[in-house]
Amino acid sequence: MERVRLVVSGRVQGVGFRPTVYRHAVEAGLTGFVRNSTAGVEVEVQGIGPMIEVFLARLKTRCPRQARMDTLHAEHLPVRPDEQGFQIMPSERSGDLVVGFPPDLAACGDCVREVLDPSDRRHGYPFTNCTNCGPRFTIVSSLPYDRARTSMAAFSLCERCHKEYTDPSDRRFDAQPNACPACGPRLSILGADGQVLPVESPLLEAVRLLKEGRIGAVKGLGGYHLCCLARSDEAVRRLRERKGRRDKPFAVMFADADEVTRYCEATPAEVLEMLDVAAPVVVVARHAGTELSSFVAPDTRDVGAFLPYTPLHHLLLKKVSPLVMTSGNVSEEPITHAEAELSRILGKIADFALVHNRPILRRCDDSVVRLVRGEKMVLRRSRGWVPAPISLSRGGPPVLAMGAELKNAFCLTRGAQAFLSQHIGDLTEHPSLAFYEEAISDLCALLGVEPGVIAHDLHPAYESTRLAAARPADRRIAVQHHHAHIAACMAEHRLEGPVIGVAMDGSGLGDDGTIWGGEFLVADYRQYQRRGYLQTLRLPGGEGAIRHPVRMALGMLHAEFGAEADRIGSRWLPALQDADRQVLLRMLESGTQAPVCSSAGRWFDAVSALLGLCDTISYEGQAAVRLQAQAAAGTSREYAFALDMQDDRVLLSFRPMIRKMIEDLHASVPSADIARGFHETMAAGIAAVCARLAESGPTDKVVLSGGVFQNELLLLLVTDALGRAGLKVYSHREVPPNDGGIALGQAAVALATMEAG
Ligand code: ZN
Ligand code: ZN
Ligand code: FE
């Protein structure tokens, strides 16, 4: 006889790990117990040596799929001669068990099979879940995670469900949201006027309406989706019109993996990512000639594809698919999650609503990822990952990092763990601001922390900065936008500085009061030196030029050709009226109302507009999306660039490129080739600056961050060029390169600053 004590850490709480341990132990004839602990899970098993070996082997190979064992410590203990049986001991349900509070998990295969099995008592039941799957984050009011503190509290378990819930050998043991048709939530369907439609099956009625081309609001895990037939031009266009979303891509939900591959060029790795328990939207390429409506994503061949992640989705998509599934909101406002808000979309955007009586306590949008050479790059980290913490290399007092202005997410630290919030959205939208404040209080309460340190962006006009100033704090730490981007990428790779940080971004306020966004920072967490930047462009007419790439194009022409830009602009920028062009040129000449910026995003805008791809944008990044789509079809071409030294800084100048591009336009070189050439030149220039800095600098580590690196083509070109130069490259994986990841960097900078005193 032997007795072994195991301490397992990782994602092992709230994911069906203890019942699994129980089953393996009982099957191996072992006695002992399992329980949650602050470290993770603690197990003691007793029996003959070979059976303990069998148990350990099964534990390692047959773990619940959403569980992840990071470490497993084993030690021998004295045998307890009179021990009987194996038990799951109650967890100490203290607030410290936040490790045990997982994100929402996609419906597991077992539950889906039951829902689709006509002989099962849960056949057709949309709220089926088990210990391994189901809602978590979006239904919990407070911790510890117990049914009484979820939005399932109002539903009492029927006898059969209660038996499952209390039987350690059942796969629904301790499944807090356990429910069945007899005792759980129910569906109903509302017409455009908000009245309940008297139909026998709300689900079938929704299917019928969708097939007719109607737009539905469907209550999901973290909010309402707006959905319609993804193959119908008419339905998709109507949705765009009503939602006020002209061109920004919509996500599409497919019935299953087979259907995805019929419409999209998804690799096996991409399909696996869609099947992950987080069930994110994965950006993949559409097949040429696909039947998906081109209005799903008019600017690009890419489409955000995802799979059903609740039983309701499975049931719906079995009958009607594929469906556009986009956040139920007006424009960029936060996703609608409460019945009371439904009137904002029902009757206005949606023709009907498929709803149910399980309240959503916390809104949470879908997450979005892209696979770059098989490696995951998260573009939006939300449902399925929040609130799983990110481990930092250092701890400290609790920090609240406010994030930036667009694509906002904030971050709260506790010890050395960083909790990045769900996607909040654009704080320029009034309702987002309310959601932001509510979400901050909510996460603080959930984690039981009152952060005394607040980190925020340098920009005084950001709503996040204003709120930082309004909140009580012992200390406020302003973090430069691009330093925060670089620190975010360092933090996720647990890199200590110094590094060469390359922030290719839209815009952010620099420490000299000008707009930055194409920066080379030699940085650690505490500080940075700006050692290089992109050639600056002027924004004629001020920051409004961000919405009008054609103005940036004129600014670019003026930077190279001066007064000649009038003639060249009249030839190549027909979208600008003569009078407007002249007004803008006067601003460029005098420098009034034409601030300079070093932003990479603005270069993409300028070139996109010069090629006639995008004069005015309807969503952030649109001009760059179109330019990248063009470049994908182009042949290789590299323009000249120049590295000029300005004091101790490297200035990456594209002046030779601008001149050559105009020559190319005159010579009728295809715009796809010019677009490709621009990407290659930008990448070569970035790599050249890094190589120059590495020669004289303290490191060969290059960290890539900023929203422009969502551009897969640029990211790959830069990564390869840096690799050829013998430099080590780090880019984002788990945390977005865009402003959705910036709060993590702010938090890391604040912790390092606090440590330094
Ligand atoms: Zn399940
Ligand atoms: Zn029941
Ligand atoms: Fe940014």
Side-chain angles (χ1 to χ4, degrees), residues 394-545:
R394 63 164 65 69
V399 174
L400 169 62
M402 307 298 286
E405 181 93 325
L406 302 179
K407 296 189 167 69
N408 182 279
F410 62 90
C411 181
L412 204 55
T413 68
R414 206 176 64 166
Q417 289 190 312
F419 296 84
L420 202 52
S421 79
Q422 71 268 51
H423 171 74
I424 305 291
D426 292 357
L427 298 185
T428 50
E429 300 281 342
H430 191 69
S432 304
L433 205 54
F435 171 37
Y436 179 53
E437 295 201 48
E438 159 199 313
I440 290 173
S441 314
D442 172 58
L443 196 60
C444 289
L446 210 50
L447 298 175
V449 293
E450 278 176 39
V453 182
I454 298 187
H456 61 85
D457 197 276
L458 263 188
H459 203 307
Y462 280 0
E463 292 295 344
S464 52
T465 307
R466 291 181 203 211
L467 193 64
R471 284 182 73 91
D474 303 329
R475 184 159 177 191
R476 294 188 183 81
I477 298 171
V479 184
Q480 199 279 323
H481 190 91
H482 304 102
H483 184 211
H485 270 305
I486 299 305
C489 192
M490 288 171 69
E492 78 159 287
H493 291 285
R494 289 156 154 272
L495 285 178
E496 287 300 318
V499 300
I500 298 168
V502 180
M504 292 295 137
D505 203 25
S507 33
L509 184 62
D511 58 27
D512 59 359
T514 69
I515 306 166
W516 292 7
E519 310 307 311
F520 298 85
L521 309 177
V522 173
D524 56 24
Y525 291 112
R526 272 180 58 207
Q527 55 202 349
Y528 64 90
Q529 290 172 294
R530 189 189 195 204
R531 294 293 309 281
Y533 55 94
L534 298 190
Q535 177 188 345
T536 57
L537 291 175
R538 284 191 182 275
L539 277 62
E543 294 200 28

Side-chain angles (χ1 to χ4, degrees), residues 64-340:
R65 66 172 184 150
Q66 54 288 322
R68 194 194 61 230
M69 287 192 273
D70 290 343
T71 59
L72 193 155
H73 288 290
E75 56 174 337
H76 280 268
L77 295 180
V79 170
R80 291 188 192 169
D82 46 359
E83 187 175 64
Q84 299 282 315
F86 192 91
Q87 291 172 46
I88 298 181
M89 310 248 286
S91 13
E92 328 150 32
R93 292 238 155 114
S94 81
D96 266 344
L97 290 183
V98 165
V99 261
F101 176 40
D104 298 307
L105 302 170
C108 74
D110 289 335
C111 285
V112 174
R113 264 189 298 281
E114 285 180 9
V115 167
L116 300 177
D117 174 2
S119 69
D120 194 277
R121 76 186 186 97
R122 287 189 172 84
H123 179 231
Y125 186 58
F127 307 98
T128 302
N129 63 81
C130 72
T131 316
N132 293 343
C133 77
R136 303 279 190 272
F137 181 65
T138 53
I139 60 162
V140 174
S141 59
S142 64
L143 290 176
Y145 173 50
D146 261 328
R147 186 175 177 105
R149 294 180 193 81
T150 70
S151 62
M152 288 299 293
F155 302 90
S156 26
L157 291 161
C158 70
E159 210 175 299
R160 293 173 80 178
C161 286
H162 186 261
K163 193 167 168 294
E164 295 165 342
Y165 180 74
T166 47
D167 175 1
S169 68
D170 194 280
R171 65 181 201 87
R172 296 200 161 87
F173 170 71
D174 213 23
Q176 305 307 333
N178 190 25
C180 78
C183 67
R186 282 159 198 275
L187 283 182
S188 53
I189 186 163
L190 312 177
D193 57 1
Q195 298 300 309
V196 176
L197 299 180
V199 292
E200 197 183 315
S201 165
L203 186 90
L204 292 180
E205 179 64 7
V207 169
R208 190 183 71 76
L209 291 166
L210 285 168
K211 283 184 171 168
E212 262 182 13
R214 305 299 178 100
I215 294 167
V218 173
K219 190 170 177 180
L221 273 187
Y224 286 85
H225 278 123
L226 285 163
C227 59
C228 71
L229 291 178
R231 278 180 312 204
S232 161
D233 284 352
E234 202 192 323
V236 180
R237 274 163 77 173
R238 194 179 310 130
L239 176 55
R240 287 206 173 277
E241 221 162 84
R242 291 189 190 169
K243 194 173 143 89
R245 177 152 154 165
R246 206 178 70 191
D247 308 303
K248 194 175 175 184
F250 284 143
V252 176
M253 188 179 273
F254 294 89
D256 51 33
D258 275 355
E259 195 177 63
V260 169
T261 52
R262 276 210 302 283
Y263 288 90
C264 307
E265 291 170 12
T267 63
E270 286 165 336
V271 172
L272 270 181
E273 192 61 41
M274 292 176 207
L275 289 165
D276 185 84
V277 285
V281 172
V282 181
V283 180
V284 293
R286 282 175 279 185
H287 282 307
T290 166
E291 282 173 39
L292 286 184
S293 165
S294 61
F295 294 101
V296 161
D299 293 326
T300 149
R301 260 190 78 197
D302 290 344
V303 64
F306 63 150
L307 292 172
Y309 56 83
T310 68
L312 176 59
H313 295 144
H314 282 279
L315 291 164
L316 189 64
L317 273 284
K318 273 267 174 289
K319 306 244 182 241
V320 54
S321 70
L323 293 177
V324 163
M325 281 267 193
T326 182
S327 296
N329 53 13
V330 184
S331 184
E332 298 292 320
E333 290 182 359
I335 188 167
T336 304
H337 76 303
E339 225 92 328

